[in-house]
Amino acid sequence: MRSTTLSIPFFLMLLLLFPALAPAETPPIPFIPADEGVEPYDIAFSPTNFDTFLCGGEAQADRACEVYGAHWSYSYPWPGREEGRPLLVQRIEQAGATLLRGDEDLLLARLDESDDSRLWMRISLAPDSVHVSLVRERMLLPEASMTFTLDDGERNEFTFYTEHPGERFQRMDVRSAGGAIDFKGVWLREGGELRHTIDYSHVCHQEHGPLHELYGIPQFKGRYRWTAYLNQGAGEHAVTVTLRGDGPALPQVREGETLGGLLLRNVPYGAAQALPEFDGQYRHPGFYGSDQIGDKNPQGEAVFWLPPGLWKVRVNPNREQSVTFVESHLVPVQPGEITELDWPDSLAEAFAEEGGGRLEILGSRAEAAEAVVDISLLGSERARVVPEPGNTRVIESGAPGRITSIERIETPLDVVVLLDSSGSMKGQMEGALAATAGFVRSLPEDARVSVIDFDTKPRQLRAKDRKGLLDALRKIRANGATALYDTLLEGLNGLEGKDRPALVLFTDGVDANHDDTGPGSVATREEVLERVAASDIPVFTIGFGANSDVNTLGRVAALSGGEYYTADDPQGLAAVFDRVRDNLGSQYRISYQRPRKAMAGNQPVLSLVVDNSGSMDTDPEAGAGSGYRIEKVRQIMRRFVEGLPPEYLVQVMTFSGDSQIRQVMTRDKAAQLRALAAMEGAGSTDILGSVEMALKTLEAVPSTHRTLVYLTDAALRVDDTEQEQFELFLGQLKDANISSLWVGMVEEDTDGVFGHAAQSSGGRAVIAPGLDDLDRFFETLGGEILGAPPPARRSILRVAVNHRDEAGKSRLFSAAEEVEFPPLVAGDRVASPEQVSWRAGAKLIPYDGAVSRLLSGGDRVVREVRIAKRIPLDLEAENQAARLHLGEMLFLSRLRGIDAPRAIVTWP
C-alpha cells in the first residue's frame, strides 16, 4: 500500500479530534466534531457497511450513491440547530474536509485522509443531539497494493474502490494464503436515457494456487466498487490485492446516450451476434435485446444498432463442425456513429461450406503499375457465380487494387485422367468405367483429354480422337497391383507447360504391390508431394470405397489447389465426376492497377490452441492427468502473449468437447488478453476437431512465418476411426510449411504420440509435466521468437468474390498467396485483411427531412414517432409495367404516439 505523508499541523489537529484508542476489536472513531470531554453514545461499528452520500463528481454533483467501507455510527449531546450548526460546519472545515451539502438539519462532507483513503460523513442535527455516520472508503491505486484480513466471523467481507482511467488494460492480482475468496465488482454509468451496469464476479479458489490474476475485470472508464468475500475457509486469511494499470492500450469510446451502429463485413458463413463486453446490461428506450442479432443487408453484411460501449462480436458457423463460435473482443461503438468492422477474409476460406465451392489462385504476374491474376472458382457453375468488378476485390499487401477487367479464360482445357484398374477394382470396374466415360463425354469439345490406366504400372490409352478414347476405355480390365505414385508423376509430366492443365485421379487403394507387402511404385510419396507443390497443376483426387489412401489424396489435392472427393459406389462416382467437370470450367483472368502504397506485407502469424477440458481443473486425486492448473496456465499464456513482438498476428483458440475461437487474428494485445481471461476447464477433449480447425484457420492466412502452438494435458491420441483423418491433418500442416509445437503436460510421452505428431507435421514435441517446466518452455519460446529474424518481405495477394444467389443468400469466395511482385512504396500505416479491424464510419441519422416527408408528416420526433434503426438496401427490380427501387428499410419503435410491443429475448 502506498504511504501518505501528512503535514504536522494537520496531524496534530487530527490527534486533538480523535478520541482515545478503543479496544483492538473495535477501531477508534476517526472523527468527532464535538467539544473536548463530550462522550459519544450508541456507538456501533461494522467492518463493511454503507451509507448514501453525494459522489457524482463535477458533472453530476447532485447524484447520490452508496459508499461502502468500514462504518461507524454514534450520537452525542449538542446545542440546538441554530447555535450548533455553525460550529459543526466550522469543525468540518478545520479538519480539512469538503462540505458537500449544508442543509438546516443535515450536513454531508468528505475528508481525503490520503490518496487511498476517504472518510465520508453524514451528520444529522436534532434539537439536542447530533447523530454521525462515518464510512471510510479505501481506494486501490494503480501499481499499489492493499492488504486486509478476512475471517469466518464478522469480518467475512471487505470493500474497496478503484478508478479506471479507461486508457490502458488493467488487471487485479490477488494473493491469499488460503480459503476461497469471492471477488465482486460493480460499475454504473447513467446519462439521459442510457443506463449501463456491470456486475463482475470471480472466485479465487485455494486449490488454484496463492496467486490469481483477474484480467477479466471490466475495462470501462470510471469508478468501481469491489467487495471480497470469504467464500470458504475457517480462521483468518490475509489477502493482498495489487492493481496493475500498465497493460496494453484500450479502444476509446466517447460518452453519450445516443445509439451507435456496427457494420460487420465478410461473414457469409454464419449468424452474427453483438454481446456486451464484460456481460454488461444496457437499458435504453431505443435498444431491444433482439438488436444484438445482426440484420443482414443485401450485401450480406450484418448491421447492428447498439448503445455506445465496448462489444464482443460472435459468429456461429452455419454448418455443423467442431467450432461452436468465433469471437472478437473490445469492439468500440461510438454514440451517433457507425463502426465498420472487417472480419478476416481468411475465415471465409476456413469455414467454406463442404462441397460449396471455393476460389483458387492459379497464377499471377505484375509490372510496376499493373498486374494480372488468374483464378479458378471451384463449384461456381452450380452456384452461378460470375466474378465482376462490382463484386470482386483484389488486395495486394493490405491495399486495394483497382480492377480494370475480368475475362473468362477461353483457352482449351488439357485434362489427364488417372484411372485405377488394379485387382481390387474387380466387381466395380464396369460401373467405374461407365462413370469415367460419362465424364469424358461431358468435357467441352475443344478440351484435349487423355487417360492413363494404371495397375502394376501406368499405361496411356492410345486414341486418335474422343470416340477412340471411349472405345479404349471399354477394353480395360481390373488386374494387378497399384503403382499410384509413379502414375501421379507420369500425369504431371504429361501436363507440364500446358496453359490450362488439370489432373484427375481416381483410385480405390494405396500404393502397394500384389500382396500389399511393399510399395507398388519406384517413386515415394515424399517425391510426389514435392513435385505437386512445385507445379501449378491442380489435381482433383477421388477416393473410391473405404480403403483409398486418404492421406495422400487429401494432401495432393490441397497442395495443388484442386479438391479431394469421396465416392462409395459407381452412382456416387458419376456425381463426383460431374462436380469435377464443373470445377474445370470456371477460370478467369483479373487485370488490375496495383495500389500506390502497401499497408502491410508478410506478417508473422501465431495460433495459440489451449486445452480447456475438465482435466485441466480437476482434483489430481480424480485420476491420472488431472490437476488444478487452469489458472496457472492462463498466467503463463498471459506472459507469453504480452511478450510477443507487436507485429505478430495472434489467434486464441480453446478446446474441450468442441473448439472455440475466442479471438480471431489480431495484433491487439488487449483483445488477446480478454480472450485468455475466458479460459475455464470443463468437458472432454476433442483432439481431432481442434487440430482440424487450427489447420484450416492457419492455412488460410498467407505468410512465410506461421506457427501453431498446441497445448494439452491429454495424450495426443484419437479414436481408431479418426486416425486416418488425423494423419491427413498432420501431413497437411507439414505441406503448408506451418511450424508446429506439440506441448504435452504429461509425465512422459509413453506411446510416442507427441513425437509422432511432431514427425508427421514436421514440427517439434515438448513434454512439460509440471507448471514450472511449462513456464520455462514458454519463456524460452518467447525468447526465440523475439530473437528470430523478421519474415521475408514478400507481397501478399488476396482475391475475394462476393456472390448473392437468387434467394438473397450471400457467399464469399476468397483465397490468398505470397507473390514476388516488384515492391510497392511502404505505406504510413500497417493493416492486413487477415486480421480483424475496425474503423469509424458514417454518422448515424435516425431521422431526417426525407423521412419526415414520407413517413411521419407533422408528428413530433421522439414524442410521436421514433426511428429504431435504418437498414440500407439499394435494391432494384423491374418488369414491363414498373421499375422498383428499395432504398432502405426503417424500423419504428413508436408511430403516431403508439409504442411497439417489446420482445423478450432470453440468452443462454
Side-chain angles (χ1 to χ4, degrees):
M1 184 186 302
R2 289 185 177 176
S3 61
T4 302
T5 303
L6 302 176
S7 66
I8 293 176
F10 182 76
F11 181 70
L12 291 175
M13 180 178 65
L14 289 181
L15 285 178
L16 291 174
L17 294 173
F18 285 7
L21 290 176
E25 62 272 11
T26 302
I29 299 173
F31 181 71
I32 302 179
D35 294 330
E36 187 176 351
V38 173
E39 291 293 331
Y41 57 87
D42 292 341
I43 300 173
F45 171 76
S46 173
T48 299
N49 208 332
F50 71 93
D51 206 336
T52 304
F53 301 92
L54 297 177
C55 53
E58 295 181 4
Q60 303 176 20
D62 293 332
R63 185 170 71 84
C65 65
E66 294 177 345
V67 177
Y68 286 72
H71 181 269
W72 293 262
S73 66
Y74 59 91
S75 300
Y76 61 88
W78 194 250
R81 295 188 184 94
E82 183 174 345
E83 178 185 354
R85 184 182 179 283
L87 291 174
L88 289 173
V89 171
Q90 182 181 10
R91 299 288 171 83
I92 290 171
E93 292 175 346
Q94 286 176 346
T98 301
L99 186 65
L100 301 175
R101 173 173 287 182
D103 296 342
E104 182 179 347
D105 56 358
L106 175 65
L107 301 177
L108 299 178
R110 188 189 73 218
L111 173 64
D112 294 335
E113 299 177 302
S114 62
D115 289 343
D116 56 5
S117 178
R118 294 173 181 170
L119 189 64
W120 297 81
M121 312 173 190
R122 168 184 288 275
I123 305 174
S124 303
L125 288 77
D128 57 356
S129 65
V130 171
H131 178 73
V132 181
S133 175
L134 303 176
V135 179
R136 175 172 283 154
E137 173 189 273
R138 298 294 304 276
M139 291 292 297
L140 178 59
L141 304 176
E143 311 312 321
S145 297
M146 175 183 292
T147 300
F148 50 87
T149 301
L150 299 178
D151 60 32
D152 51 352
E154 294 183 358
R155 294 185 301 172
N156 69 332
E157 63 181 75
F158 181 84
T159 298
F160 61 95
Y161 290 81
T162 61
E163 189 77 28
H164 199 312
E167 296 175 355
R168 306 197 72 83
F169 195 93
Q170 288 189 348
R171 87 169 189 269
M172 196 178 292
D173 291 352
V174 179
R175 285 190 177 274
S176 175
I181 311 299
D182 191 352
F183 266 83
K184 296 185 181 297
V186 177
W187 177 89
L188 166 67
R189 176 172 293 160
E190 289 183 297
E193 296 183 307
L194 176 63
R195 178 183 173 90
H196 182 191
T197 58
I198 296 177
D199 291 301
Y200 170 86
S201 180
H202 180 85
V203 180
C204 302
H205 293 284
Q206 177 182 357
E207 54 266 24
H208 287 165
L211 174 63
H212 293 256
E213 294 183 349
L214 310 187
Y215 47 91
I217 62 176
Q219 302 291 331
F220 285 104
K221 180 180 179 179
R223 171 186 170 92
Y224 291 80
R225 185 183 80 236
W226 301 93
T227 303
Y229 300 88
L230 182 61
N231 186 291
Q232 183 180 1
E236 293 188 349
H237 301 273
V239 181
T240 300
V241 183
T242 304
L243 183 63
R244 307 294 185 186
D246 58 348
L250 288 166
Q252 298 300 297
V253 178
R254 299 190 307 274
E255 292 190 19
E257 60 177 299
T258 307
L259 293 182
L262 179 63
L263 177 67
L264 177 61
R265 294 192 176 96
N266 303 341
V267 188
Y269 52 85
Q273 293 174 263
L275 304 174
E277 198 72 88
F278 316 110
D279 298 324
Q281 299 292 322
Y282 286 95
R283 191 167 66 193
H284 189 282
F287 175 67
Y288 297 80
S290 58
D291 294 340
Q292 295 178 216
I293 302 174
D295 296 306
K296 285 287 187 71
N297 67 11
Q299 290 72 38
E301 301 162 337
V303 183
F304 305 83
W305 286 53
L306 306 167
L310 296 174
W311 290 80
K312 172 174 63 179
V313 176
R314 172 181 290 182
V315 175
N316 302 96
N318 289 330
R319 69 182 181 88
E320 187 175 339
Q321 51 194 326
S322 56
V323 168
T324 53
F325 59 78
V326 185
E327 291 182 338
S328 187
H329 290 273
L330 302 176
V331 178
V333 172
Q334 309 289 357
E337 188 177 278
I338 294 177
T339 298
E340 297 180 359
L341 182 68
D342 290 321
W343 210 247
D345 278 349
S346 58
L347 289 177
E349 287 186 63
F351 290 101
E353 296 181 17
E354 288 288 344
R358 71 177 194 276
L359 187 151
E360 287 286 342
I361 295 177
L362 301 176
S364 58
R365 61 183 184 276
E367 298 178 354
E370 298 180 343
V372 171
V373 55
D374 293 342
I375 65 170
S376 176
L377 281 165
L378 306 183
S380 63
E381 290 293 327
R382 292 175 183 267
R384 298 182 182 178
V385 181
V386 178
E388 299 171 342
N391 67 359
T392 303
R393 292 177 291 127
V394 177
I395 301 172
E396 183 184 330
S397 293
R402 188 175 74 83
I403 295 174
T404 55
S405 68
I406 300 179
E407 300 175 351
R408 190 169 188 133
I409 298 175
E410 301 295 346
T411 305
L413 282 164
D414 279 284
V415 181
V416 173
V417 180
L418 309 180
L419 180 62
D420 185 350
S421 61
S422 60
S424 58
M425 284 295 297
K426 289 180 179 178
Q428 299 281 359
M429 201 69 222
E430 184 178 350
L433 290 174
T436 306
F439 171 69
V440 171
R441 289 192 198 95
S442 69
L443 292 173
E445 292 184 4
D446 61 354
R448 294 179 286 267
V449 189
S450 61
V451 176
I452 297 179
D453 160 39
F454 70 96
D455 43 46
T456 305
K457 62 180 181 178
R459 296 174 298 274
Q460 181 164 345
L461 300 187
R462 303 298 178 185
K464 294 181 179 181
D465 52 22
R466 188 81 60 91
K467 182 179 180 303
L469 184 61
L470 294 171
D471 290 339
L473 272 174
R474 285 192 286 269
K475 299 176 182 178
I476 295 176
R477 298 292 181 268
N479 192 27
T482 309
L484 178 61
Y485 303 150
D486 288 347
T487 305
L488 267 167
L489 290 180
E490 183 163 329
L492 292 171
N493 290 335
L495 289 169
E496 197 67 43
K498 303 296 184 181
D499 291 331
R500 284 187 66 195
L503 187 62
V504 180
L505 167 64
F506 161 75
T507 181
D508 75 333
V510 299
D511 189 279
N513 58 14
H514 287 281
D515 53 5
D516 295 335
T517 58
S521 297
V522 175
T524 64
R525 181 168 64 179
E526 286 67 30
E527 291 173 340
V528 170
L529 294 174
E530 288 179 11
R531 179 66 185 284
V532 169
S535 71
D536 291 323
I537 301 171
V539 184
F540 300 88
T541 60
I542 305 171
F544 187 70
N547 298 317
S548 58
D549 189 348
V550 172
N551 192 296
T552 299
L553 300 182
R555 292 173 69 179
V556 165
L559 268 174
S560 67
E563 193 156 352
Y564 166 56
Y565 306 92
T566 60
D568 295 326
D569 51 44
Q571 290 75 25
L573 179 60
V576 167
F577 272 127
D578 285 344
R579 291 169 63 187
V580 173
R581 181 201 62 232
D582 291 344
N583 287 337
L584 295 177
S586 300
Q587 297 183 4
Y588 297 85
R589 176 158 296 160
I590 303 173
S591 300
Y592 69 96
Q593 290 184 353
R594 301 180 67 198
R596 295 175 59 189
K597 290 185 177 182
M599 297 183 190
N602 187 12
Q603 296 181 84
V605 176
L606 171 71
S607 181
L608 188 59
V609 182
V610 185
D611 187 346
N612 274 204
S613 60
S615 58
M616 292 285 286
D617 194 17
T618 306
D619 190 336
E621 300 297 326
S626 298
Y628 293 120
R629 47 188 167 226
I630 193 73
E631 172 63 31
K632 293 178 182 177
V633 169
R634 186 183 2 248
Q635 295 172 21
I636 294 170
M637 296 297 101
R638 190 267 304 168
R639 292 192 289 271
F640 174 64
V641 165
E642 285 188 327
L644 287 173
E647 65 269 18
Y648 259 75
L649 287 180
V650 177
Q651 174 179 276
V652 178
M653 178 175 154
T654 60
F655 70 96
S656 51
D658 46 27
S659 301
Q660 308 86 31
I661 297 180
R662 298 204 175 264
Q663 176 58 52
V664 302
M665 289 290 177
T666 182
R667 292 198 313 273
D668 185 346
K669 290 190 180 296
Q672 296 164 14
L673 294 179
R674 181 76 185 106
L676 289 173
M679 287 175 47
E680 57 180 354
S684 55
T685 311
D686 181 14
I687 298 293
L688 182 69
S690 57
V691 171
E692 177 187 15
M693 294 317 304
L695 165 67
K696 285 186 174 181
T697 52
L698 266 178
E699 193 177 30
V701 181
S703 172
T704 57
H705 192 165
R706 295 178 292 190
T707 304
L708 166 63
V709 177
Y710 189 97
L711 171 65
T712 180
D713 70 343
L716 203 61
R717 189 185 298 110
V718 299
D719 293 340
D720 292 342
T721 57
E722 300 174 332
Q723 188 64 39
E724 190 175 48
Q725 198 70 32
F726 185 54
E727 296 292 339
L728 172 61
F729 296 151
L730 295 175
Q732 288 178 330
L733 282 167
K734 181 178 182 180
D735 297 338
N737 294 317
I738 295 172
S739 299
S740 54
L741 293 166
W742 306 93
V743 185
M745 295 186 65
V746 295
E747 290 300 323
E748 58 179 326
D749 191 10
T750 307
D751 300 327
V753 290
F754 285 90
H756 173 75
Q759 182 179 13
S760 299
S761 62
R764 177 157 55 115
V766 177
I767 304 302
L771 290 164
D772 291 340
D773 302 309
L774 188 69
D775 198 10
R776 282 191 295 270
F777 164 70
F778 275 100
E779 185 176 351
T780 302
L781 178 60
E784 292 175 0
I785 290 175
L786 287 170
R793 297 292 297 178
R794 300 181 66 186
S795 298
I796 301 298
L797 181 66
R798 178 168 287 282
V799 179
V801 177
N802 291 277
H803 171 70
R804 190 171 79 248
D805 61 24
E806 295 177 351
K809 181 181 178 181
S810 295
R811 295 179 59 190
L812 177 64
F813 297 82
S814 183
E817 69 175 11
E818 299 167 319
V819 292
E820 294 187 5
F821 282 1
L824 296 169
V825 177
D828 298 330
R829 66 186 181 92
V830 177
S832 171
E834 314 311 327
Q835 68 169 331
V836 66
S837 60
W838 53 265
R839 60 186 177 276
K843 297 290 184 182
L844 280 176
I845 306 175
Y847 196 90
D848 56 22
V851 171
S852 175
R853 290 190 300 272
L854 295 173
L855 179 67
S856 59
D859 287 352
R860 289 170 296 178
V861 178
V862 179
R863 286 197 176 185
E864 294 177 295
V865 60
R866 183 193 289 267
I867 308 295
K869 53 188 174 182
R870 300 171 68 169
I871 308 299
L873 298 177
D874 195 22
L875 292 176
E876 290 187 353
E878 62 179 306
N879 57 21
Q880 293 180 346
R883 173 181 295 176
L884 182 65
H885 177 261
L886 301 178
E888 62 179 335
M889 182 182 298
L890 281 75
F891 294 78
L892 283 77
S893 58
R894 181 179 298 165
L895 181 63
R896 307 309 300 265
I898 300 175
D899 288 335
R902 296 182 69 93
I904 298 176
V905 178
T906 303
W907 297 98

